[in-house]
Amino acid sequence: MRQNERMTNGGGLRERKKARTREAILREAFRLFRERGYAATTTEQIAEAAEVSPATFFRYFPTKEDLVTLDRFPPLVEALAAEPPGAPVTVLRRAFRAAFASLTAEQIAAGHAREVFAVTVPELVAANLRRTPGLLREVAGLLADKTGRDADDPRIRDALGAVFGVVTLVWWQWAGDPAMDGPAEIDKALARLESGLNE
Amino acid sequence: MRQNERMTNGGGLRERKKARTREAILREAFRLFRERGYAATTTEQIAEAAEVSPATFFRYFPTKEDLVTLDRFPPLVEALAAEPPGAPVTVLRRAFRAAFASLTAEQIAAGHAREVFAVTVPELVAANLRRTPGLLREVAGLLADKTGRDADDPRIRDALGAVFGVVTLVWWQWAGDPAMDGPAEIDKALARLESGLNE
DNA sequence: TCTCCTTTGAGAGTTCACTCTCATTTGAGA
DNA sequence: TCTCAAATGAGAGTGAACTCTCAAAGGAGA
C-alpha cells in the first residue's frame, strides 16, 4: 500500500528531507567533479558543499565511487528480456533501441552527464567494471535464450563482446561530444555490425 | 655502442643488482597477489618479502599499479604497422596472429600470469585503461592507413570497437582458464567476426 | 505536549599509498 | 687503495578514504 518513494519522494517529511540531502550531495559532488576533477575532489569538500558532516556523507554513499556507480543499465536488461527471439546482434540492437525509447530525452540527458564521468575517469570505469562480469553473465543468459543456443557458446560470447566493444567506443565518443545523438549513433553502429564490418 | 640492458642484464655489477632487485620485487609481489589478492597486499608487505625498504620499493615502482601496468601491447602495434592493406577486421586479425607468433610460448605464458591480474582486478583494469585512449588512437590511425579510410570514419571506430570487445571477452575467459589456447581462441573469434556474427 | 526512534554532527582514530630528509653503504673508475 | 656518485635504509610525515562512538537534534505518533 505504501507509495513508490522513488517517484513521489515519499510521504513523510523525514523521507523528503533524506531525498533532498541525497540530491544535494549528488548535485554538489558532480559540480565539484566538473570544476576540479574526480580525484581532486575530496569527500570532505563534497560534504561541506552539501552542508552535511563527513560522517553523514558516508551514510548516504558508503564509498566515493558509489556517487557515480549505482544504478546503471537496468533498462537494457529489461528491454532485452522482453525481446522476441532472433540472431544475437539483431536482438541486442533491438534491445538498445527499446531501452533508449523507454527513457525521456531529459532522462537521457541527465544520465549522460553522469555517464561522462563513469566512462571517462579510470577509477570509475573500474568501479563499474566490478559489476560488469555479473551483468555480462546475465545478458549472456538472456541472449542464449533468445537465440536458442548455450550460454557458453563462443558465438554468444563473441556477439556480446563485439556489441559491448562497439557500444563502448560510441559511448566514449559521446562523452566527449554531448551534441552527438548517442542512441542514434549506437543504432547505426550496431546496424553496421549486423551487416558485417568488412564491407 | 652500449649494449641493450634489457637482454644482457647490462655489464656492471650495479646493473645486475638492480635487475635482480627489480625481479625480486615483481616475483614476491605476484606471489602475494596470488595468495591474498591485490588489494589485500600492502606495499610494505611486498617490500619486506623482497627484502628492500619501503622507500626502495617506490624507487623501483612509483605506484603500486605500475607493478602490473607497464609495458603491455607493443607487439600488437608493431605487428599492425607491418601488415599489408585490407579490410579492417581482417587486418586486425592478421596483426594479432603475427603479434603472438613473434612471442615464444614461454613469453606468452609469463605474460599470461601478469595479464590475469591486469584483466581481473578492477583497479588494474583502470590503470591500464588510462593508457587505452592513446593506444586506441594509435591503432585507429594505423587501421585507417591500411584500409584507405579516414581515422575518424565511424566504420574504423566500429571495427576497432568490435575487435577490442571480442578480444577482451576471450582474454577474460583465458584469465580464468589457463589451459585455454588464448591466441588460437582469439583467432577463431576474430574469424567469426570477419564472416558475420549473425550466422 | 510528551516520548520514542531515527538521523545527524563532532571529532578522534585507523589504514595505506606515497613523500622527504639525511646518514650510510657500496659499486665504479682512477 | 682512494674518491665520488649512486643506491639504500631508517624513519618521520602527509593526505585522504573510511570507521566508530557518543551525545544532540528533530520527525513520528500518541
Side-chain angles (χ1 to χ4, degrees), chain A residues 14 18 51-53 56 59-60:
Chain A
R14 222 171 221 167
K18 267 169 77 172
E51 299 183 306
V52 296
S53 74
T56 297
R59 290 195 187 98
Y60 280 83

Side-chain angles (χ1 to χ4, degrees), chain B residues 5-85:
Chain B
E5 298 112 350
R6 255 323 189 352
M7 312 254 348
T8 65
N9 266 349
L13 173 53
R14 220 170 222 167
E15 310 295 321
R16 266 177 286 148
K17 256 194 141 170
K18 269 168 75 173
R20 253 187 291 135
T21 303
R22 190 189 154 86
E23 277 160 34
I25 293 175
L26 278 174
R27 186 182 57 245
E28 296 303 313
F30 277 83
R31 184 178 58 76
L32 291 170
F33 291 168
R34 237 174 281 121
E35 285 176 18
R36 48 183 96 163
Y38 176 81
T41 304
T42 70
T43 56
E44 262 181 277
Q45 290 165 352
I46 299 171
E48 196 188 333
E51 299 182 304
V52 296
S53 73
T56 297
F57 169 87
F58 283 105
R59 289 196 186 97
Y60 280 84
F61 297 92
T63 76
K64 189 182 173 187
E65 286 176 348
D66 284 332
L67 286 167
V68 196
T69 292
L70 297 172
D71 299 330
R72 299 177 74 222
F73 287 115
L76 175 66
V77 174
E78 285 166 29
L80 180 58
E83 283 302 315

Side-chain angles (χ1 to χ4, degrees), chain A residues 157-168:
Chain A
R157 179 201 63 200
D158 293 343
L160 195 51
V163 169
F164 160 71
V166 165
V167 171
T168 297

Side-chain angles (χ1 to χ4, degrees), chain A residues 170-189:
Chain A
V170 174
W171 212 282
W172 211 324
Q173 194 176 340
W174 189 14
D177 174 16
M180 179 175 177
D181 184 348
E185 194 68 24
I186 286 176
D187 192 60
K188 274 195 279 183

Side-chain angles (χ1 to χ4, degrees), chain B residues 143-188:
Chain B
L143 201 54
D145 279 355
K146 302 297 172 193
T147 56
R149 292 178 186 164
D150 250 26
D152 56 356
D153 187 321
R155 290 173 300 177
I156 295 288
R157 177 200 66 200
D158 293 343
L160 194 52
V163 169
F164 161 72
V166 165
V167 171
T168 297
L169 289 206
V170 174
W171 213 281
W172 213 323
Q173 194 176 342
W174 188 15
D177 173 15
M180 178 175 179
D181 184 348
E185 193 69 23
I186 286 175
D187 192 60
K188 275 194 278 183

Side-chain angles (χ1 to χ4, degrees), chain A residues 150-159, chain B residues 173 185 189 192:
Chain A
D150 252 25
D152 56 356
D153 187 322
R155 290 173 300 177
I156 294 289
R157 179 201 63 200
D158 293 343
Chain B
Q173 194 176 342
E185 193 69 23
R192 271 191 288 272

Side-chain angles (χ1 to χ4, degrees), chain B residues 93-158:
Chain B
R93 183 183 170 208
R94 286 200 302 240
F96 269 99
R97 292 175 93 131
F100 281 117
S102 76
L103 301 172
T104 69
E106 288 76 30
Q107 284 176 314
I108 291 179
H112 183 260
R114 175 179 286 212
E115 291 293 333
V116 168
F117 292 100
V119 166
T120 292
V121 179
E123 293 94 312
L124 301 180
V125 177
N128 286 309
L129 233 47
R130 211 161 289 150
R131 352 203 134 177
T132 300
L135 177 67
L136 281 181
R137 251 191 302 282
E138 191 177 358
V139 173
L142 286 169
L143 201 54
D145 279 355
K146 302 297 172 193
T147 56
R149 292 178 186 164
D150 250 26
D152 56 356
D153 187 321
R155 290 173 300 177
I156 295 288
R157 177 200 66 200
D158 293 343

